[in-house]
Amino acid sequence: QSGVTLCVKAHVGQSTFDTKTTLAAAGQIHSPAFGIDMDPSHIYRAGEDPDSALQQVLDRVRHIHIRDCKGRQSGPGIPRDQACGRGDIDLAAYCRVMAEGSYDGPVCLEVIGAKGHDLSQVSVIAAESYGYLNAHLRALGAR
C-alpha cells in the first residue's frame, strides 16, 4: 500500500544463497511487494552461471546489485577487480538476459572494500563499470 518493495538477495553463506534457495523463498511469499535483488557475484561464487540464474528468476527481480569478481572464493576480491568487465563473470550474457527479458528496474553498482580508496580511485571503478554496462546494453537495444 505504501509503494515499498522488499527484496531478498542470494548471499554466499546465508539462508538464501543460490537460485534454488531464492526460488524457495519467492515461492513462499506471494505479495507483489516482495521481489528479488539479483547480484551476479554471489550467484557466481555459489557455483552457478549468473545469466542462467537470472533467466530463472527475472519475473520476480525488482533490483540488481552488480559487480564483477575474479574466482569463486568467499569474497569478490579487491575493488578494482569488481569493476564490470574486469572479473570472470560473463556480464555481457547477464546484460543480454536483462535486455531480452525487458528488465527495466534499477541496476546498482556495488563495490565492497573501497573504504581506504580516494575519490579518484572509486570514480574510475564506477566510470569503467558504467561504460561497460552502457556499451553492452546499447548494443542490445536496451538503452
Side-chain angles (χ1 to χ4, degrees), residues 13-68:
Q14 302 301 314
S15 59
T16 304
F17 60 90
D18 63 6
T19 304
K20 182 179 177 181
T21 55
T22 299
L23 287 168
Q28 297 296 312
I29 303 170
H30 303 289
S31 170
F34 177 80
I36 294 171
D37 174 7
M38 278 297 278
D39 182 334
S41 73
H42 283 279
I43 295 298
Y44 182 77
R45 289 181 288 129
E48 298 182 70
D49 291 322
D51 54 310
S52 297
L54 182 59
Q55 288 175 330
Q56 295 177 58
V57 299
L58 191 59
D59 63 325
R60 296 290 301 268
V61 172
R62 302 294 177 263
H63 187 270
I64 292 177
H65 267 154
I66 200 161
R67 68 172 163 225
D68 216 331

Side-chain angles (χ1 to χ4, degrees), residues 12 42 45 72-76:
V12 175
H42 283 279
R45 289 181 288 129
R72 295 185 190 257
Q73 69 283 348
S74 62

